[in-house]
Amino acid sequence: MDFEKKKKQRIDNRCSYIHPNKSNKQCGLQVRKGQIYCFAHINKVESSSQKEIDISKQRSNGQLIKRVVCPVDPTHTVWENRLIKHLKICNAVKEKLEIKHKEETCEWFSVNYNLQDVDATCELLELPINENDWREFTNEVTTKYDKMFSHELTLEDGKYIKGLETRLEEVSNQKHILQQSSLIQKLIDNDLICNDAVIIEFGCGRAEFSRYHNKAMTEIFKDCNKYRPQYLLVDRAVPRLKFDKKMVADMEELKIENSEIRRLKVDIKDLKLAESLKAFKSHNFIGISKHLCGVATDLTLRCLLNTVEDTPELNFKGCVIAMCCRHCCKYEWLLEDSKDYLKKFGINRLNFVYFRKMFAWATNGIRSGVPSDVVGGHHSLLSHQQREIVGLKMRRILDESRKYAMEKRGFDVKIVRYIDRSISLEDNCIIIKKKI
């Protein structure tokens, strides 16, 4: 079967449900032969067509069985005769049991600990999008942006290579190691390295960044007998192919003693960082992250502020965070000073839906052979090239609001482009330092 035929088959097998709050996009899940909707959307569809109604039913031993909404997690459905068995294996049930267990046994875990001043359950308003209002909002914000910022962010892509030579030789696609080396150089340039500090990688994933950060630090402190690597790896998931064991092997090979690596499976909103740092001997800590998603970035800033304000005996030296996926941001979870900054551009909770959708314009690609200066029927009446410029401006506004909020709390903050856009379209990082 050729590629085009396979592609057509995939499209034909897609669920017919249309998401009303996602620009009328069609559901991407595949359905069984003869069905119209996937099991997640069967019960959401109201239709007079008997054929569409009957697809949520099947016969078992002569009885008609229907699908029902899971009582624990209403986002999915299950066959009625399998409900009792499903409740024993439902991921939502397992997650609730895991949360309950952590609350009872882990001092560093507390649900919504870093969201105590907001309604953690409040969802972003998904109001119907009016294209005329959107265009008016875009023009208003970009006009204010042009008056406030006379130049774009300058590129500072210095790279630290020592200790990373082997990795650079191993991989043909070097975009990740180049980003990591640039962020390490930012730590060095801003005096955010220490031979006795806990390095916290927020949203660490496999912890590849921590591994190569440690390789660089062992090179920098190779003549220092007191270098003691300490890493706290934070992520809400447990990915496969983690680098934790490789970090241990690296340090055994270099005969580095007294190293310590801890991994916590926790959402940053639930992390009591001060409690987790009690397991380490050092009172100094530094934050790092490579491509931390929008909402996680705001949660990390909240987490760091809570730690600094509630536990003054801990010494927060600073952090370097490469930001990404700003379209995931939640208005309610922004710092209050960040919201105040956005008000200068007329951005509030209601029109934030327009604001955050334009972040993706800074990173959207374009199909091969399509000129970037052609509008192509887009609702904004802007070409791809123009939308990219607008997206970059909107992204800068949000990042500047974070900078403003942390400066109001007494920190030295700057935003820089740490890598060329040819390597990564998510090329901005925020550098936060404790004032001396």
Side-chain angles (χ1 to χ4, degrees), residues 248-259:
V248 173
D250 291 340
M251 287 180 273
E252 288 177 350
E253 182 181 347
L254 295 170
K255 298 181 179 179
I256 297 174
E257 299 178 353
N258 301 319
S259 63

Side-chain angles (χ1 to χ4, degrees), residues 64-313:
L64 193 63
I65 309 299
K66 64 179 181 179
R67 290 190 72 86
V68 295
V69 176
C70 173
V72 180
D73 182 4
T75 62
H76 66 275
T77 60
V78 62
W79 292 115
E80 189 175 32
N81 61 335
R82 299 178 186 173
L83 182 58
I84 296 176
K85 180 180 179 180
H86 171 77
L87 292 177
K88 296 178 181 179
I89 60 174
C90 178
N91 288 335
V93 174
K94 292 179 180 178
E95 184 178 350
K96 287 187 177 182
L97 290 174
E98 183 180 4
I99 290 174
K100 183 179 179 181
H101 177 71
K102 284 182 179 178
E103 286 187 308
E104 294 174 349
T105 60
C106 302
E107 293 183 351
W108 45 264
F109 183 89
S110 179
V111 175
N112 296 329
Y113 178 78
N114 294 310
L115 292 172
Q116 296 179 45
D117 60 332
V118 300
D119 180 2
T121 62
C122 183
E123 294 294 330
L124 180 73
L125 288 178
E126 289 287 358
L127 299 176
I129 294 177
N130 183 294
E131 294 180 2
N132 291 328
D133 290 346
W134 191 333
R135 287 194 285 269
E136 184 179 340
F137 171 79
T138 303
N139 292 333
E140 179 182 347
V141 175
T142 52
T143 299
K144 291 180 179 179
Y145 175 95
D146 293 337
K147 290 180 180 179
M148 185 170 293
F149 299 107
S150 58
H151 59 84
E152 296 301 317
L153 293 172
T154 55
L155 176 63
E156 299 179 15
D157 62 343
K159 298 174 182 63
Y160 185 84
I161 303 299
K162 291 183 180 179
L164 309 179
E165 297 92 343
T166 302
R167 182 60 174 167
L168 285 165
E169 294 172 359
E170 288 176 346
V171 295
S172 56
N173 185 352
Q174 299 185 342
K175 66 177 184 178
H176 292 296
I177 189 63
L178 290 176
Q179 292 173 71
Q180 291 157 4
S181 64
S182 180
L183 292 171
I184 291 169
Q185 187 64 52
K186 297 295 171 290
L187 289 163
I188 296 171
D189 294 343
N190 292 278
D191 298 321
L192 292 177
I193 60 170
C194 180
N195 64 351
D196 184 25
V198 182
I199 306 300
I200 309 163
E201 185 178 357
F202 294 95
C204 65
R206 297 166 61 203
E208 183 178 351
F209 185 21
S210 285
R211 185 196 183 191
Y212 294 110
H213 174 275
N214 183 55
K215 279 183 171 288
M217 293 303 107
T218 54
E219 182 67 27
I220 292 172
F221 296 114
K222 64 181 179 181
D223 297 325
C224 179
N225 296 327
K226 295 183 179 180
Y227 176 51
R228 184 173 60 191
Q230 301 173 88
Y231 286 87
L232 178 62
L233 310 176
V234 177
D235 201 282
R236 65 180 182 178
V238 183
R240 300 175 63 189
L241 305 175
K242 296 186 288 293
F243 281 78
D244 306 29
K245 291 183 179 180
K246 291 187 178 182
M247 291 176 68
V248 173
D250 291 340
M251 287 180 273
E252 288 177 350
E253 182 181 347
L254 295 170
K255 298 181 179 179
I256 297 174
E257 299 178 353
N258 301 319
S259 63
E260 191 163 6
I261 301 172
R262 292 177 178 269
R263 177 182 281 269
L264 300 181
K265 182 188 176 185
V266 59
D267 194 309
I268 299 171
K269 71 182 180 65
D270 306 322
L271 175 62
K272 298 174 71 173
L273 184 58
E275 292 293 332
S276 66
L277 290 173
K278 288 181 179 179
F280 297 88
K281 295 179 181 178
S282 177
H283 291 287
N284 303 313
F285 68 99
I286 297 169
I288 64 172
S289 188
K290 173 181 167 290
H291 286 182
L292 192 62
C293 89
V295 70
T297 298
D298 296 315
L299 289 172
T300 296
L301 298 182
R302 285 178 168 274
C303 178
L304 293 172
L305 288 174
N306 287 339
T307 306
V308 170
E309 294 171 358
D310 297 344
T311 319
E313 61 268 23

Side-chain angles (χ1 to χ4, degrees), residues 41 86 112 147 155 203 221 256 335 351 355 357 375 414:
H41 295 127
H86 171 77
N112 296 329
K147 290 180 180 179
L155 176 63
F221 296 114
I256 297 174
L335 293 169
N351 57 32
F355 183 54
K357 283 182 180 294
V375 175
K414 60 181 178 180

